[in-house]
Amino acid sequence: MTPTPASAPAPGPEPELGPRARTLAVALPALLTVVMGSLLYGFVRLNQLQLDKFRSYGGHWTTDMLPLKETQFFVAVALLGSAFIFFLAIALARAVGRPLAGLGGVLTRRPGVTVAALAGLALLATALTSWLAIQHAPVLLDEMIYNFQAQLLERGKLYVPLSDVWEAFKSGYLVQEKGIWTGIYPWGHVAALLPGRAIGFAHLIPHLCAPLGVWLTYLLGKELFDDDEDTALLAAAVVATSPFIAFTCGTLHNVTTSMVLVTGGLYALVRATRRSSLGFAVLAGLLFGLDLHSRPYNAVSIAVPAGLTALVVAIKLKKRPLRLALAFALGLLPGIVLYLGINQLVTGDFMKTPAELSMKPGMKIFGFGEGIAHKIPHGPILAFGKAGTNLMRLLLWTSGSLVAALGVGGLLLGIRRRAADLLLLVPLFGLFGFYYFFYTSPGFDTGPLYYLDAVPLLALALGRVVSVVMRPDATQPAQPERKRWVAAGATAALVFSLLVWWPIQGLAINKVTDNTLLPYRAVDAAGIHDAVVWFSMNPWRRSWSLPARPPQPDLGDDVLFAAYSPSNAVMLWQKWGGKKKFYKLMFDRSSTWLKPGRYDDLAPYGPPAQYPGWAPQQPAPAGLMPGPTAPMPPTPPTPTPLTTPTPTPTPTPPTPPDRVPIGPDPVPGPEPLPPEADSPVAP
């Protein structure tokens, strides 16, 4: 006869609080609210969010001096933000700690559904960030060049013959040497943009990299830490809510596909080693080989230390190390052969990349000494500071607070179940070790781009430390009190990230993309077609604006944006004078580098002085007619045709066209172009 289990005793009534306890129960939340409000107020004051100069990054990127505003922002997040999270965690643990812990338990019981929900959350966050903050605009010139290379692939080409007017569209990110015109970037990521471009949304694959990163992080965590499920789920949650992932996958940058390929390669490598699987060893090699066509530096710096570590582990565990190594090499082979073949087709040399064709003689981008780009000597001390700066950026961008630092710090301080947990840091050290020798830091308006591959690793480190804290013994269930505090702390960190980091970084990147889009919006609003627009960039505002986008490979753009110079003016008038309309769009040079850029002069621009008898310039569209205010007269005046000036011993410089304000609050216009190189149309 089966004995009937004893029923659990009914819970007794909660003891009543004494007068002092009731006073504390009311006063403590009020005190915490005042403290947290003060911290947020101090954060706002420290960063002066109401000023245009907020977070003016990028002014010192060549020397890698940490800009003052970024330093203030980091100090505020590290000190005030951490204090805010601490006090909020206390309040949440006391008020709703048990329900939060119960919700965590429900999520862990259905891991498949939870991971799917987290992947959907990552996709939603990425799509909203790209739409509202980044505006689907390029953040870096890299993204403009990807589109140029994608247009080449859509024509079935890797390059086209160099145009006779290429100097008007010159860029250091384009290969314009040896009679060919192409881009410097690997072609794998460029090819990944083609499905999205085919449906009119080039961001499709980069957006999908966010949920793929969540899923692959979970798989890697399950394979690497098979003694508990919590680590993998916690890591997937960190990736899904990481601002670094959402902001960067909201762009077209090639680190997005690299993050997916590297994380997938590490998962396949770990699975191959643990299970002695030759198929997964081949898959690992194939994924790392494909990453050569996305970010080759990341592929090498992570695959080499991770592969050697896997080989040592396979030897120790007697998992057919020689066969696994050969299978891994076999998987690498297609990617390597394709990489060398593309080099041969584009440059004529298997070992020379397209990027090397665009580099000036004697310039280096790796190592120490003179000859480094931008003439900045690169030494060990500068490299150490650069690595520290980017580590700080990586930790803060991963979680929107200092919480991500708890993972690496905890593992190094001994909060782990086994010494093998430290192997998780090997790829991280490989990545930082490689870029220690690289000549500069990455762009960081959406996070330190070169290091996006490290986010899943940091997430797994944090997940492992938190799992060990909740359950020191893997054979025992998690301690309820610790689960309550962990749930409250995680919620507090997420609240701070959503309340502070996401909106502030969103506003900052929105300013960047506003200035990037400003010239194109101005031209579209004016209704300009079949034209050449002389484009000038304010030299003091480099962190807020980008050079003009490159033209299509066949120069078939409706509106071409060209870099002005006297020789370029003559060259393009020889090619298109009388066929296209010409305008000038000059950056307002009166702005300081601390203010957002403005384009305040968009006007018709006539032929160079070498062609005084050229046909009259077409009338400007109604939206471009000169006037002191935004409203335009109903009937625009007819421009006076050009006439051949009578030569005189002392030529008088031509009068520049009237400035045409675009947008509210006009400011003084830009300096006119050199009088000896132009002959502007009179209004």
Side-chain angles (χ1 to χ4, degrees), residues 556-589:
D557 305 68
D558 181 40
V559 177
L560 290 160
F561 290 84
Y564 179 83
S565 74
S567 60
N568 287 347
V570 173
M571 178 171 57
L572 295 195
W573 271 99
Q574 287 177 332
K575 188 174 183 67
W576 288 308
K579 300 177 182 177
K580 289 183 178 291
K581 294 167 286 187
F582 282 69
Y583 299 89
K584 68 170 185 175
L585 181 61
M586 309 301 288
F587 211 108
D588 171 25
R589 294 170 186 249

Side-chain angles (χ1 to χ4, degrees), residues 157-230:
K157 301 178 182 296
L158 295 177
Y159 61 86
V160 291
L162 193 57
S163 169
D164 56 343
V165 294
W166 68 271
E167 290 187 11
F169 310 102
K170 189 174 182 179
S171 169
Y173 291 61
L174 289 171
V175 177
Q176 295 167 315
E177 302 287 341
K178 296 186 176 180
I180 65 171
W181 197 0
T182 185
I184 67 172
Y185 294 102
W187 292 90
H189 177 76
V190 174
L193 300 180
L194 296 183
R197 287 177 57 87
I199 62 172
F201 187 63
H203 290 76
L204 175 64
I205 298 301
H207 278 21
L208 292 177
C209 287
L212 284 173
V214 172
W215 179 60
L216 289 170
T217 300
Y218 173 73
L219 293 180
L220 176 59
K222 280 192 65 177
E223 198 64 43
L224 198 58
F225 305 112
D226 59 345
D227 54 347
D228 74 87
E229 182 85 18
D230 296 338

Side-chain angles (χ1 to χ4, degrees), residues 124-148:
L124 177 63
T126 298
L128 290 176
T129 301
S130 182
W131 172 40
L132 298 175
I134 303 174
Q135 308 179 80
H136 297 148
V139 178
L140 295 174
L141 182 57
D142 309 39
E143 298 168 64
M144 293 184 176
I145 307 302
Y146 301 156
N147 278 321
F148 177 83

